[in-house]
Amino acid sequence: MQTSYHMKDNNIYQKVITRIDSSPENIFAYLGTTIGIQQWFPELSFKGTERLLFDLGNDEFEDMEIFRYENPKFIHFAWAEGEVEILLDGDGDDTQLVLNERLPAAFENAARDFSGWQFKVKSIKNIAEHGEPEEMDRQHFESVQKDIEEILKL
């Protein structure tokens, strides 16, 4: 998995790239449906192809717009005060997944959010290749979060 970060115009950006031994069609089923996405991100669900709901608990939900939904290649949606896009490019069982995320530089817990999406990319890869999401390694997660804070000077 490759990661990169940068800051521009009061926004911070993350790019995560990984190869997955599965077809774009199979991977998109985990990205673009409620049944699929809840296997690696249980708090998320779809309302058609225009809205994504984030269950914050206590009967509170964040309703996020889906800007672009193109099965099996692309999904782009609002994420808090920023946005996330996931692109799939592949042939047969060899697919490159690219996740791009943008958040305002002032976004509280941005490094934790970036670290979280890296973990989610690993989960997508693991579930597409082996049928189950990645196990959370809290120590590694926090280490990645600290690295991101240092790189972006957050």
Side-chain angles (χ1 to χ4, degrees):
M1 186 169 77
Q2 302 168 310
T3 57
S4 61
Y5 318 97
H6 72 276
M7 188 178 294
K8 181 180 176 188
D9 300 329
N10 293 318
N11 288 293
I12 52 175
Y13 297 84
Q14 166 175 239
K15 178 177 282 218
V16 181
I17 302 172
T18 194
R19 295 218 67 80
I20 301 176
D21 294 330
S22 189
S23 69
E25 293 80 10
N26 183 56
I27 297 164
F28 198 86
Y30 294 111
L31 300 176
T33 66
T34 295
I35 290 170
I37 205 167
Q38 287 185 345
Q39 292 182 53
W40 56 274
F41 207 141
E43 298 84 3
L44 294 181
S45 60
F46 284 88
K47 288 175 60 178
T49 57
E50 287 95 35
R51 311 299 299 171
L52 191 60
L53 289 179
F54 190 133
D55 185 346
L56 302 168
N58 299 325
D59 253 359
E60 292 182 48
F61 295 86
E62 184 167 347
D63 188 342
M64 301 174 291
E65 181 178 359
I66 297 174
F67 303 120
R68 185 169 163 204
Y69 183 101
E70 188 180 319
N71 184 358
K73 303 252 182 224
F74 194 88
I75 188 163
H76 177 199
F77 50 91
W79 186 253
E81 300 162 35
E83 58 191 305
V84 169
E85 63 179 12
I86 302 173
L87 301 91
L88 300 174
D89 184 29
D91 198 16
D93 283 345
D94 182 25
T95 302
Q96 177 176 270
L97 180 150
V98 178
L99 178 139
N100 293 303
E101 181 177 12
R102 178 193 59 80
L103 289 171
F107 185 78
E108 193 173 332
N109 300 315
R112 186 176 84 198
D113 196 82
F114 278 11
S115 183
W117 274 108
Q118 288 180 36
F119 169 73
K120 296 301 186 187
V121 166
K122 288 180 184 176
S123 284
I124 295 165
K125 177 178 174 62
N126 211 57
I127 203 165
E129 292 179 345
H130 306 292
E132 52 188 63
E134 183 82 5
E135 287 290 323
M136 171 62 93
D137 178 344
R138 178 65 57 193
Q139 191 172 18
H140 178 72
F141 181 90
E142 291 172 358
S143 171
V144 170
Q145 182 178 335
K146 285 181 184 172
D147 290 346
I148 293 167
E149 288 169 352
E150 289 174 15
I151 291 167
L152 291 172
K153 298 174 179 46
L154 299 174

